[in-house]
Amino acid sequence: MNPFELLKNTSALKEQAEKLQKEMEQMTAEGSSGGRMVTVKINGKFEMQEIHLDPLCVDNRDVKMLEDLIVAACHDACQNMQDQLKTKSGSLLSGMSFPGL
């Protein structure tokens, strides 16, 4: 792609990026661990919105396991959000080639 053509289209790209950012604010992703004993919901800004703990995993004798399950569920939710964002942003960058990337 000609770099001058890219410069001509910067306003359209900016508009698409702003639209994507607004859409991200509305997106949610869920992650889970321990066979869904712990579920976490995050928004498009990767902020945790909800957490659900199955009463079976709440055992004061094994707090470390619960902590690990929460971390794993958060990681899963973040990975799911990243996948959604890649899909959404793919259309924004389709057809463009950036040397070296």
Side-chain angles (χ1 to χ4, degrees):
M1 173 177 262
N2 182 341
F4 295 108
E5 288 178 31
L6 184 62
L7 289 174
K8 289 179 189 177
N9 295 324
T10 55
S11 64
L13 286 173
K14 182 180 177 186
E15 206 173 279
Q16 288 179 335
E18 288 171 356
K19 180 183 175 191
L20 178 62
Q21 190 172 16
K22 287 180 184 176
E23 288 177 10
M24 283 174 51
E25 292 174 4
Q26 303 301 316
M27 295 171 64
T28 62
E30 187 175 283
S32 66
S33 64
R36 298 194 56 83
M37 289 177 68
V38 175
T39 57
V40 171
K41 184 187 260 186
I42 63 170
N43 65 17
K45 295 178 181 180
F46 293 87
E47 299 168 335
M48 189 184 313
Q49 300 296 303
E50 295 177 22
I51 185 167
H52 174 74
L53 304 174
D54 185 314
L56 293 175
C57 72
V58 181
D59 182 353
N60 62 358
R61 294 171 291 166
D62 199 359
V63 172
K64 181 65 178 148
M65 179 200 65
L66 180 56
E67 291 170 345
D68 290 344
L69 288 172
I70 291 170
V71 169
C74 287
H75 177 73
D76 188 42
C78 289
Q79 185 62 51
N80 291 337
M81 180 57 70
Q82 287 175 345
D83 293 343
Q84 287 184 46
L85 293 174
K86 284 179 191 174
T87 301
K88 283 231 181 254
S89 64
S91 62
L92 178 66
L93 301 175
S94 64
M96 293 184 203
S97 63
F98 297 100
L101 294 181

